[in-house]
Amino acid sequence: MSSVTVNPESFWLTRYRGPIFFLLIALTVAGLFVAGQMPISVFPETNFPRVVIGVDNGVMPVEQMQVTITKPIEDAVNTVPGLVTVRSNTSRGEAEVSLFFDWNEDMFRTLQLVDAALGNVRQTLPATAVISTKRLTFATFPILGYSLSSDTMAPTDLWELATYDLKPPLNRVPGVSTVTVQGGKVPEFHVVPDMARMMAAGVTILDLQNAIQQSNIIDSPGLYEANHQLYLGLVGAQVHDAEHLGQLVVKTTTAGISVHVNDVATVQNGVEPVYTVVTANGKLSVLLNIARQPSSNTVAVANAVADEIAQLRKNLPAGVTLTPFYDQSELVRESIGSVRDAILIGLVLACVILFLFLRDWSSSVVAGLVIPVTIAVTILFLWLIGQSFNLMTLGGLAAAIGLVIDDAIVVVENIVLHRDSGETRVDAVRKALHEITPPLIGSTITPIVVFLPLISVTGVTGSFFRALAVTMTASLLTSLLLALTWTPGLSLVFLRARREDETADQHHQAGPLLTRVMSWHGRALNWSLARPIGLGIVCTVLVLGTYFGYQALGSDLLPEMDEGGFILDYIMPAGSSLAETTRVLDHVEHILHDTPEVEITSRRTGLQMGFAAVTEANTGDITVKLKQKRSRGIDDIMSDIRAEIKKTEPELDVEFTQVLQDNIGDLSNAPEPIQIKIFSSDPAVLEQLGPRVADAITKIKGVVDVENGVDNTLSGPATDFQVDPVVAARMCFTPSEIAEDATSILDGVTPDAPLIANGRPYTIRIRLGDQSRGSLETIQNNVFNSASGKTATLGSLATIQQLPPQNEIRREDLQRYITVIGRLEGSDLGSAMAQIQRTVADLHIPPSVRVEYGGTYQEQQKNPSMTSCASFSSPSCSSSACSWWSSATSPRPSPSSPRRCSPLPASSSACSSPTPASTWLPSWDSSWSSVSSPRTAFSCSTPTRNIALREPLRAKPWSTRRSAASVLFS
């Protein structure tokens, strides 16, 4: 083969090789440096366009809450620019108003506008309403959870230990946003009135409250000057212990005798009325939920908290344990480990394969050096645009390894072919670049075109896959740049020249296995070229098979993953007492701990792990952490536990979900995959349709944890003490006096100022003894005296009426609706929703009722382009990318995307103009050495070229648990 030797200095790469190496090495070092500075989290940082307004107003009835609080707030926030949807949920004494805005809105500014709108309406709301606003992000939810337990310490002491000794140092840890304490018993000082002595002294409950409130004060009358100094004047009568609280004067008789608190009541230590229960591993405990700041590093925060916990454990009292029950950083660590393994395995496999085919270690080293440089430069780019290490970016890096090494292999292999043809290194590199550049650019741009549409996707899906698309695009463009500069430059330096005594045929002498493979391939290629019609039929069958396979694939919003734990949400029948709920949940905890895979549990009754403004005392959740070394998958474990609970505690409604899935659902206000929203202005119609729809979809295979939207939104029954104004006036009682007296029986009356002891505030609560509220009869027979001295029982002043349970009022854009919800087990979202829609249509719901499908399904349907791909990309890219997305969670394996192999001739003319196949295709026989020159390089490209790396991305062999990155991108 003749070749014209070119002056090495005339080749641009020879002249600029030094600056190129310097620039790329500098970028690599910078990328490695910023890798340690990048935030690490489970999900990409997202400017999620939702603001939640929470309202707490005691135990105000639902209808009154809706009219006096929820509706005025809905009307006020409608003026905020960019508002898309308003959803409200009104319960007894609580309301939650969720505001959804356009994804392009500045949520920091929007939050300020929402607060301003609430400020305008605040004066029209009841003074007792406590309002909070929160912008929801992924950082809203806890990343760590610790349980504080003891068999010897009182619950009040545990609460104080957690609140005053553990919470402050944990709050000081860099990156920690909030530390929430749940459980325990809050210590207070209780003033227990003796009604006989109260009546004898002529003291009312209101007198007792006013006396404490007006005496336990500290105030400043102002400043004064003396001795050339400015002094602050203070007037105070604060009390700091129970003894001094009892000595406060309530009134002075006409005889000048002071009546003290101790004269009419008993002052004692007490606890805040308890309507919640928190346990860990079946024992009463205090939980500490730790959330990170939005821009912080999840792994770094978890490590810093763990170090601080280790120091705090040294000072814990004897018999007190502090145990982790949830750690989100474990999932991130596994993902980072998966990417590390993918890089290392890809590097080793690429080098080994190159050596096996080219029998040249220098070419293997050249190709292997591409991966770390590409990863480092990509990380630098992600840092510059404000991305973080998360499941999507890490998975994108892992998925790009195969694409990156493919470019390097194609370039190195073509350079080696020219070198083995007798050309110098400079000529080999120059000619190889001239030939390979057009197809290399095309093969790189093709997968980029497939991923680019993901950048424009909005919603939760868009926030996830935008990070994936950016990472993949940056990796591929970096790989292309390196393939045209770094790889050939290294070849000029490291690639050894062919030995004088080595011929081309000797260099490519193959073993028996490779010889047989090449023989099969040659026969298949010759058959295909000789029979174009048959080849067309085969391709048509493949295209049709791909189409029907795509249609048969299931679809979900996100892939299934094993997080190593789950959340068990539960609802007892409306009105269930705390004792009955505790009895049932104790048994559920026994079921959980009898499951061999369960490591630790934590239970909240009347509370939730995440942010929730509306929570009833008969609801709650259990966080379950599973052992790492286990033989069963998380779905099988949840299925068995669900079946056991349904069999032994049928009155308890349960719902199973993993923590991260629950967080995503809470962010979008659609926690369940299945949400059937039924709109009607008639509550009776809604109460009739909800159970009908729920009963119908329960029969669908794979649909579990179904709630009908009626029974699961009930508050407990109520007792109405309707004051008779005529009788009250005759007995010299005002309705407000009667309300204060009734409150003193149940929750107690609390003066505004707390008692400060040892630098800690304690609520003062005026509350009758337990014997006064043992039953409804006891409550209504309590005797009170009015300011005029007349006495009467509560039952004689009011008519007692028992009210049935009340449903929560849910509204969307001022329209009332209910939501039938459900989850899936062993079925994909797309197939299940198709069956549900057919089932609901068969119910012949009246035309006046509107039905919408929300939840995860609605979020998935917002972006149909996710499953249609770019129409202008190549068919093989489109089909493989669609199959990857649609089959992410399907139990059926997706069809492998066909590899597109383009024969690349060694001569530059073959790249510049079409060449008949017969002029450059090799002739085949049973040996590699018989392949006639010129040699042919085959460049194979596909969006899923890292198929060989799928298995190493899995978790440890002894575990069915898989890291999120491997699930998302394998």
Side-chain angles (χ1 to χ4, degrees), residues 14 52 115 129 407 421 493 525 527 557 603 760 832 868 908 911:
T14 305
V52 175
D115 286 333
D407 290 342
S421 299
V493 176
L525 184 60
W527 182 92
L557 178 64
R603 167 163 66 97
R760 299 175 180 178
S868 62
S908 59
C911 292

Side-chain angles (χ1 to χ4, degrees), residues 838-860:
R838 289 193 297 268
T839 301
V840 173
D842 292 341
L843 295 178
H844 304 294
I845 294 176
S848 60
V849 177
R850 181 164 57 92
V851 177
E852 288 185 4
Y853 296 92
T856 308
Y857 173 76
Q858 184 182 40
E859 188 64 38
Q860 181 199 50

Side-chain angles (χ1 to χ4, degrees), residues 471-545:
T471 305
M472 293 289 292
T473 301
S475 300
L476 294 175
L477 291 178
T478 303
S479 171
L480 176 62
L481 176 65
L482 295 180
L484 300 178
T485 56
W486 175 258
T487 303
L490 290 176
S491 298
L492 289 174
V493 176
F494 295 110
L495 197 63
R496 68 174 179 85
R498 195 184 68 175
R499 296 194 305 268
E500 295 295 334
D501 59 343
E502 182 183 32
T503 65
D505 289 342
Q506 289 174 337
H507 182 79
H508 286 95
Q509 187 66 38
L513 178 61
L514 183 58
T515 300
R516 189 174 305 154
V517 171
M518 297 304 298
S519 175
W520 292 341
H521 178 259
R523 288 198 295 269
L525 184 60
N526 289 330
W527 182 92
S528 301
L529 294 176
R531 299 170 178 80
I533 297 178
L535 181 62
I537 294 174
V538 172
C539 291
T540 302
V541 171
L542 288 175
V543 171
L544 292 175

Side-chain angles (χ1 to χ4, degrees), residues 250-329:
V250 180
K251 65 179 292 187
T252 302
T253 65
T254 54
I257 300 174
S258 298
V259 178
H260 299 271
V261 172
N262 274 339
D263 297 331
V264 295
T266 301
V267 180
Q268 61 188 31
N269 293 327
V271 297
E272 183 181 59
V274 177
Y275 303 108
T276 62
V277 174
V278 174
T279 67
N281 278 341
K283 297 190 297 184
L284 290 176
S285 305
V286 176
L287 305 182
L288 294 100
N289 298 319
I290 303 169
R292 65 177 178 88
Q293 294 176 352
S295 60
S296 62
N297 184 320
T298 299
V299 174
V301 172
N303 291 337
V305 169
D307 293 340
E308 185 65 31
I309 290 290
Q311 296 299 319
L312 293 173
R313 282 197 180 105
K314 298 177 181 178
N315 300 320
L316 290 178
V320 177
T321 58
L322 188 58
T323 309
F325 67 87
Y326 175 65
D327 187 352
Q328 194 181 92
S329 68

